[in-house]
Amino acid sequence: MYGYNYFTDENGKELAVNMNTGEVTDAITITVPVGTTVRTPEQQKAYKEFKAHEAKTFFRRKMMDELGYFYFVLCEHKLGKLSAETAARLIYLCTYLDYNKNFMLTQRQHMKKSDLQEVLRLSTGTTFRFWKEVNPQYIIEDADGLKLISNDITRGTITDSKKSYQRFYIDAIRKVYLETKPTRHRHLGYVYQVLPFINFEYNIICWNPEEKVLDNIKPLTVAEFCGFIGYNAGDYKKLLKLYRQITFEINNQREYFLTFVMNEADAEHIRIFVNPRIIYSGSDYKKVEVLGAFTKCEC
């Protein structure tokens, strides 16, 4: 091996000395066929790191192909200061962000305040109430047009690696918003408002969102979810039925926005799963592909 000196100690043991570091390691002599690739320990380590990076890159590409473009929302960010309807409309509007926090109708055309009613597809009065809630807390209008000022929502590269962000996928968010009646936008907003409780790896609404071992996840019960959104827990069956009606079509497949998975027919044993086409930031999309089968709608 290049970079090593070899010698035999007084006990007849073969050793190798790294010429750069002086590190001594055990060595053995073997005969290999001509053309065989042989790597030093450093080369082997570098090779393993390369393969790990290659695998990670592959999964990222697969997720990109499957889920499309996205923007980031700080996982700790609470949209609870907004009404649920406004939270849903803000999340939708952010699908029009460019990489400089400008809202764009096209690559070159800035969005104006006067465009909001048409973009959001709301009445004049509802659009006015939306603007009153988001301005200036989230959005301002300058000479160019509308601009996002919240640092918790961004598109592009995340510079603070110490903070955790969830990815919101543009295509699916637009589809579910446009296919949901304005009177039901609040039910989209309820889910966005519990963002700090969405598990990164499995998209289950739970108490420990950073838990990576499925068996260790502590899901919110439907009753607890109802408590967060201000819904009467005694009417949870009505809530389940309503969410079963909120669907969207993507890749020629109709899917549920939110899925309730149960082993027993009571609120205590129902688990709530957010469609990963809407929100997902896990390390391996394979983990939610199986659970994602529950999001498929046969309607």
Side-chain angles (χ1 to χ4, degrees):
M1 289 285 210
Y2 295 111
Y4 283 83
N5 281 329
Y6 299 89
F7 67 95
T8 303
D9 66 10
E10 64 275 10
N11 297 317
K13 186 176 183 180
E14 293 185 70
L15 299 173
V17 181
N18 187 308
M19 295 170 61
N20 293 321
T21 66
E23 181 182 6
V24 180
T25 57
D26 293 341
I28 59 172
T29 300
I30 59 174
T31 301
V32 298
V34 175
T36 301
T37 300
V38 181
R39 300 186 181 93
T40 65
E42 289 81 4
Q43 289 173 328
Q44 184 66 17
K45 180 181 178 182
Y47 178 75
K48 288 181 178 179
E49 290 176 349
F50 168 75
K51 295 302 289 184
H53 175 73
E54 192 176 55
K56 191 173 183 180
T57 302
F58 170 79
F59 285 123
R60 284 180 176 173
R61 287 174 181 168
K62 187 177 186 300
M63 285 172 55
M64 188 70 175
D65 291 342
E66 186 73 20
L67 302 175
Y69 292 102
F70 56 85
Y71 64 88
F72 293 101
V73 180
L74 184 69
C75 69
E76 298 175 356
H77 185 74
K78 296 179 180 179
L79 291 162
K81 294 182 179 179
L82 301 172
S83 66
E85 295 93 331
T86 295
R89 292 158 186 163
L90 176 63
I91 289 297
Y92 165 72
L93 193 65
C94 286
T95 66
Y96 288 88
L97 282 173
D98 69 3
Y99 294 100
N100 296 309
K101 290 184 173 287
N102 299 304
F103 290 91
M104 308 293 294
L105 292 174
T106 66
Q107 286 187 334
R108 297 184 178 182
Q109 184 180 358
H110 287 258
M111 187 184 297
K112 306 288 186 180
K113 180 183 173 183
S114 57
D115 297 314
L116 282 177
Q117 183 175 349
E118 182 177 353
V119 172
L120 294 172
R121 301 192 182 184
L122 301 172
S123 67
T124 302
T126 304
T127 305
F128 173 79
R129 288 190 293 273
F130 169 81
W131 179 252
K132 191 174 180 180
E133 278 197 69
V134 299
N135 172 256
Q137 181 182 357
Y138 285 92
I139 305 172
I140 60 171
E141 184 175 31
D142 59 19
D144 292 326
L146 299 182
K147 193 173 188 71
L148 182 74
I149 62 170
S150 172
N151 292 323
D152 291 351
I153 304 174
T154 188
R155 189 175 178 194
T157 304
I158 298 299
T159 56
D160 190 345
S161 60
K162 295 180 181 179
K163 293 183 178 181
S164 298
Y165 291 80
Q166 287 278 20
R167 291 187 180 96
F168 280 64
Y169 291 90
I170 291 172
D171 192 23
I173 288 171
R174 286 188 182 180
K175 287 180 182 295
V176 74
Y177 177 89
L178 295 174
E179 292 189 43
T180 302
K181 296 178 181 179
T183 54
R184 291 186 176 177
H185 282 170
R186 67 180 182 276
H187 293 92
L188 304 180
Y190 289 151
V191 175
Y192 301 145
Q193 287 179 327
V194 296
L195 179 66
F197 298 93
I198 299 176
N199 186 271
F200 284 94
E201 293 292 335
Y202 297 99
N203 271 40
I204 298 171
I205 298 179
C206 65
W207 291 104
N208 48 345
E210 295 187 2
E211 177 59 56
K212 295 184 178 181
V213 179
L214 185 59
D215 289 341
N216 294 338
I217 292 176
K218 300 175 182 177
L220 264 72
T221 65
V222 170
E224 290 168 335
F225 177 68
C226 288
F228 272 109
I229 67 175
Y231 198 89
N232 182 2
D235 291 333
Y236 79 91
K237 290 184 179 179
K238 181 180 178 181
L239 184 69
L240 268 61
K241 182 178 179 181
L242 192 149
Y243 273 110
R244 295 289 288 181
Q245 296 171 355
I246 298 179
T247 66
F248 61 99
E249 186 173 321
I250 193 163
N251 295 338
N252 298 316
Q253 171 67 53
R254 185 152 291 277
E255 299 191 9
Y256 296 109
F257 171 68
L258 196 68
T259 300
F260 297 85
V261 181
M262 62 190 79
N263 291 324
E264 300 179 43
D266 65 79
E268 192 67 28
H269 294 88
I270 298 173
R271 303 297 178 249
I272 310 169
F273 176 70
V274 182
N275 192 316
R277 293 190 183 278
I278 302 291
I279 300 171
Y280 185 65
S281 289
S283 59
D284 186 354
Y285 186 62
K286 282 185 176 180
K287 292 181 179 180
V288 291
E289 278 187 313
V290 175
L291 290 173
F294 293 106
T295 67
K296 300 296 187 293
C297 176
E298 301 301 330
C299 50

